[in-house]
Amino acid sequence: MAASVAATGTTHPGPIMSRRPPVCAIASFLPDDLGVFLRAYPDVRVSLEERLSHDIVAAVAGGRADLGIVTWDDEHPDLAFHPYRSDELVVVAPDGVALGRRGAVRFADCLAHPFVSLWSGSAIHTYIVGKATAAGRPLDVRIQVAGFPAVVSLVRAGAGIGIVPRSVMRNLNRDGVAMLALDERWATRRLSVCAPRDPGRIAGPVKALLAQLRDHDDATADTAARGPRKARR
């Protein structure tokens, strides 16, 4: 899984830190976690930027980032990976269309429909395009927008279907939209916080943020929001 974001380490007068996480984390998990941290450290400044997982890992390993949130299954000699959250990619489709009446859908079936997507270069768009390429099929992108609320609004309007993290749907208006399980193993995305393996490379405020994020390790995030899911065929 390589559709996440990064973290940059910059220091200004007074403790300041920059990091880069995945767009789904920015939209759902991080606001609450960062709110707790920033109240405890009012002088710290945090910069968030989206990057692909391999870019994040390279940035943290190279000292250009303090921390990163990634989907990453490999080892790295200079980095430690701490479980953070789990999320799941789901399909959103207009209510009333045949696809929207199914409880779960395979990605190959989705590729027969036009897509509403985030901008090219976003981690999730790059990830989905890669999956379509691996399947030997083109991704028919009808329109691209800047955020998940716009994706869902355009799906509701009938512009196409979309693939979004389940976590971001908690705070969006789901009227007129069907949310379907994406029946693929790669739809589950386990997010980890990556940090330097050497504790001497982790500054005090960064260490505190790392502890805050590790306290919220949740391997079953959003299970309460999950609907019934059909078994894989």
Side-chain angles (χ1 to χ4, degrees):
M1 313 268 266
S4 268
V5 274
T8 317
T10 324
T11 309
H12 292 268
I16 188 166
M17 176 181 59
S18 314
R19 51 188 303 281
R20 311 178 180 186
V23 79
C24 65
I26 295 172
S28 54
F29 303 128
L30 275 176
D32 289 343
D33 294 343
L34 281 176
V36 173
F37 171 77
L38 292 172
R39 284 192 293 273
Y41 294 87
D43 293 330
V44 169
R45 303 293 180 266
V46 178
S47 172
L48 305 178
E49 297 179 31
E50 185 189 2
R51 293 289 186 274
L52 300 180
S53 286
H54 62 270
D55 293 330
I56 299 167
V57 167
V60 177
R64 301 185 304 278
D66 295 312
L67 299 173
I69 296 179
V70 298
T71 52
W72 192 263
D73 295 324
D74 296 331
E75 301 263 339
H76 193 286
D78 300 321
L79 300 179
F81 296 87
H82 309 281
Y84 176 50
R85 304 276 191 173
S86 287
D87 206 352
E88 178 189 4
L89 296 177
V90 297
V91 178
V92 288
D95 267 347
V97 302
L99 188 71
R101 293 193 291 269
R102 299 164 63 173
V105 63
R106 300 301 300 271
F107 183 58
D109 297 329
C110 295
L111 292 174
H113 298 265
F115 271 72
V116 180
S117 177
L118 296 187
W119 290 112
S120 298
S122 66
I124 193 167
H125 176 79
T126 302
Y127 187 59
I128 297 303
V129 168
K131 290 300 180 183
T133 301
R137 303 271 299 277
L139 189 72
D140 179 10
V141 179
R142 189 175 190 187
I143 186 169
Q144 292 179 272
V145 294
F148 292 121
V151 170
V152 174
S153 294
L154 283 161
V155 168
R156 181 183 300 110
I161 67 171
I163 293 180
V164 304
R166 184 183 289 272
S167 61
V168 307
M169 295 298 293
R170 295 179 303 177
N171 301 318
L172 297 180
N173 177 10
R174 289 172 54 183
D175 292 345
V177 174
M179 187 171 71
L180 315 171
L182 181 57
D183 192 12
E184 304 292 343
R185 297 186 189 281
W186 49 261
T188 299
R189 310 171 75 238
R190 292 179 177 83
L191 304 176
S192 299
V193 182
C194 68
R197 192 179 293 274
D198 178 3
R201 290 184 53 198
I202 306 177
V206 182
K207 190 174 298 184
L209 178 55
L210 176 59
Q212 169 71 26
L213 297 178
R214 293 183 67 182
D215 280 347
H216 287 272
D217 169 12
D218 180 3
T220 54
D222 294 311
T223 50
R226 294 173 186 270
R229 177 169 182 158
K230 294 183 179 178
R232 288 178 56 85
R233 298 193 295 275

